[in-house]
Amino acid sequence: QVQLVESGGGLVQAGDSLRLACTASRRTGRNNGMGWFRQAPGKEREFVAAISWNGGRTDYPDSVKGRFTISRDNAKTMVYLQMNSLQPEDTAVYYCAVARGVWGVRAPDYRYWGQGTQVTVSS
């Protein structure tokens, strides 16, 4: 079992930046990918970013590509999401997750989830 705790959310204005952090209770495994998802009220959970074990591979949907950056520090069992040029449509609860395998861009690809951190972007 792996517990994940997100932090860094808050209320910001459009154009601002936030850096989310996710701490894992233990090392997730040698090859497990990690990712970030978000869920806005009344909407399905949406893929935001994924990163491979060694950080050599990342992926983002078009909606955040060029604005969001995922990174990880395996020594500290942490994963980060740097979010720049935030827009009101980025408002959601953001979740970090550990993949079942080496990679995933869909929610079913992930096994462990954090409780989420709220990000609210005002216009």
Side-chain angles (χ1 to χ4, degrees), residues 19-100:
R19 188 192 194 206
L20 305 183
C22 174
T23 303
S25 58
R26 63 173 179 81
R27 291 176 68 91
T28 59
R30 180 167 180 79
N31 296 319
N32 289 99
M34 295 191 71
W36 286 94
F37 289 74
R38 67 186 181 187
Q39 189 166 19
K43 295 187 177 181
E44 293 186 354
R45 193 163 295 193
E46 175 189 19
F47 167 68
V48 174
I51 189 167
S52 60
W53 164 255
N54 64 358
R57 180 184 180 187
T58 59
D59 196 15
Y60 310 88
D62 289 343
S63 58
V64 307
K65 193 172 294 183
R67 300 188 297 122
F68 290 11
T69 303
I70 187 172
S71 60
R72 66 189 294 174
D73 183 338
N74 290 331
K76 297 181 179 179
T77 63
M78 296 189 71
V79 62
Y80 306 95
L81 185 68
Q82 177 67 41
M83 305 186 295
N84 299 329
S85 301
L86 284 162
Q87 300 301 317
E89 52 265 35
D90 295 317
T91 296
V93 177
Y94 283 71
Y95 300 88
C96 72
V98 177
R100 298 178 186 277

